[in-house]
Amino acid sequence: MRDSYKYLFLLNILLVLGARGVAHAQPASKAATRYPERPVRVVVPVAAGGGTDIIARLTISKLSEVAGQPFVVDNRPGAGGLLGNEIVARAQPDGYTLLFTYAAHTIVPFIYRKVPYDVYKDFTPVTLAGQQPLLLAVNTNVPANTTQELIALAKAKPGALNVALATPSSSGALAAELFKILTNTKMVSVPFKGGAPALTALLGGEVQLIFTTPPTVMAFIKSGRVKILATSGRERVPYLPEVPTLAEAGVKDFETAPWQGLLGPANLPAPLVEYLHTQIRTVLRLPETRDKFAASGTDAVGNTPVEFAKMINRELEQNKIVIQAVGMRAD
């Protein structure tokens, strides 16, 4: 009889503890299924009106519709994205402060001496929203009509060709330095304070080549004011079908391109990551979204969090090597 009482006593303790465990577990589960319960702040670390901001607003406005709560863009430009990135790196991982950033995310940690966060540890990748190819554009006076002719010209006249760097933190700047390394050529890198002055310099003959995005130069391609020798993508772009990729042109291992994607603070709960990824993937599959992306020369992607994380880590390692090799600095 005494053993029976002991058994019932232990059973009651286990039941109480189990009930308490369920009580503690329920709020987290319900919170995940109710998310978002209030407006979500999405930090975009660039000024309003630029290419990344346009892609961010297209994505975030549709995300608000499918989620049933406002996702609000908060532009925080400055220092190649450092200022906006820091806000999210310091935020609580509750899903109510997110980061819609761009390729500079994997560049600026290596060109600034002081970075107020750990780019490897302080963020949770959610999905790659969009990606654009880079175009290798040259001034029409350059006596080269193919990438190999350009390489031969650069090798025949070391230091005679100038390549524009829109800003140190741009994908185009990194692409230019990577191109010189992969082709073993010596060209003079000329830094500018943005894509517009860099393009003006190209048109005026101050520089002879630039790596830039399609929207930046499409009008000048059509008017015959620049020549496009190659694209950085794995496949040819549909609106320039006659232009080969750099790989087709003989420049292997050239993997750098502008992109935009969503991240959260470190330790963002897996259910929230999956929810955000699923909703954005839905948004990116909408014909209206895809058409608007295409109009800006952007491919809608929506890959998995794991795939996005691998891409970011691969770019961080590549960019670190290139930037240290050429000594790129922004401060």
Side-chain angles (χ1 to χ4, degrees):
M1 181 68 71
R2 185 174 299 174
D3 289 341
S4 297
Y5 281 126
K6 184 184 294 185
Y7 172 78
L8 290 173
F9 176 73
L10 291 173
L11 181 60
N12 284 333
I13 290 176
L14 291 173
L15 289 173
V16 169
L17 290 174
R20 287 179 179 176
V22 171
H24 285 297
Q26 281 181 342
S29 176
K30 288 181 179 179
T33 57
R34 291 196 303 261
Y35 175 86
E37 294 183 283
R38 62 180 190 272
V40 177
R41 177 191 190 190
V42 184
V43 175
V44 179
V46 297
T52 293
D53 181 65
I54 291 171
I55 295 300
R57 290 178 183 275
L58 284 173
T59 307
I60 300 308
S61 64
K62 287 294 181 183
L63 180 58
S64 297
E65 294 177 14
V66 299
Q69 281 283 356
F71 280 71
V72 183
V73 170
D74 180 9
N75 293 97
R76 293 301 180 101
L82 285 183
L83 301 183
N85 292 355
E86 183 181 9
I87 291 171
V88 178
R90 302 283 179 263
Q92 291 295 317
D94 56 9
Y96 289 97
T97 302
L98 303 172
L99 176 69
F100 197 99
T101 192
Y102 62 122
H105 184 78
T106 62
I107 299 173
V108 293
F110 309 115
I111 62 175
Y112 282 87
R113 288 180 175 84
K114 293 183 179 180
V115 178
Y117 54 82
D118 187 330
V119 72
Y120 293 96
K121 298 179 180 178
D122 289 344
F123 301 95
T124 302
V126 176
T127 190
L128 175 67
Q131 194 166 31
Q132 304 86 23
L134 283 168
L135 305 183
L136 170 53
V138 299
N139 181 282
T140 53
N141 292 326
V142 175
N145 293 312
T146 67
T147 301
Q148 287 302 321
E149 289 177 359
L150 178 67
I151 294 170
L153 180 63
K155 288 185 174 180
K157 299 180 178 180
L161 296 179
N162 295 334
V163 54
L165 309 183
T167 63
S169 62
S170 68
S171 295
L174 190 77
E177 300 297 355
L178 180 60
F179 182 78
K180 289 193 293 182
I181 291 172
L182 293 176
T183 59
N184 193 28
T185 52
K186 293 183 179 180
M187 293 181 275
V188 179
S189 295
V190 182
F192 292 88
K193 293 184 178 181
L199 182 61
T200 299
L202 179 74
L203 296 173
E206 180 183 343
V207 298
Q208 284 70 52
L209 66 148
I210 188 174
F211 283 86
T212 188
T213 55
T216 306
V217 293
M218 285 304 293
F220 301 103
I221 297 171
K222 294 176 181 178
S223 64
R225 298 185 65 188
V226 299
K227 295 186 291 187
I228 304 300
L229 303 188
T231 70
S232 68
R234 294 183 179 180
E235 299 177 356
R236 296 190 181 195
V237 296
Y239 43 85
L240 293 171
E242 73 285 358
V243 178
T245 66
L246 281 163
E248 289 177 318
V251 182
K252 306 298 183 183
D253 300 319
F254 192 97
E255 293 190 16
T256 185
W259 55 262
Q260 296 83 28
L262 187 74
L263 299 93
N267 302 315
L268 190 65
L272 297 188
V273 173
E274 183 56 33
Y275 171 84
L276 289 165
H277 169 246
T278 300
Q279 298 306 315
I280 291 181
R281 186 176 58 187
T282 298
V283 165
L284 295 176
R285 289 177 175 177
L286 296 173
E288 180 184 356
T289 305
R290 301 184 77 86
D291 290 345
K292 289 182 177 179
F293 269 47
S296 66
T298 302
D299 297 322
V301 184
N303 62 1
T304 68
V306 171
E307 291 169 337
F308 190 30
K310 287 181 178 178
M311 189 201 88
I312 289 174
N313 288 331
R314 183 178 66 248
E315 286 202 0
L316 284 169
E317 294 310 307
Q318 172 189 269
N319 296 350
K320 181 179 181 180
I321 293 170
V322 173
I323 291 166
Q324 289 180 345
V326 300
M328 291 173 65
R329 280 293 175 190
D331 57 355

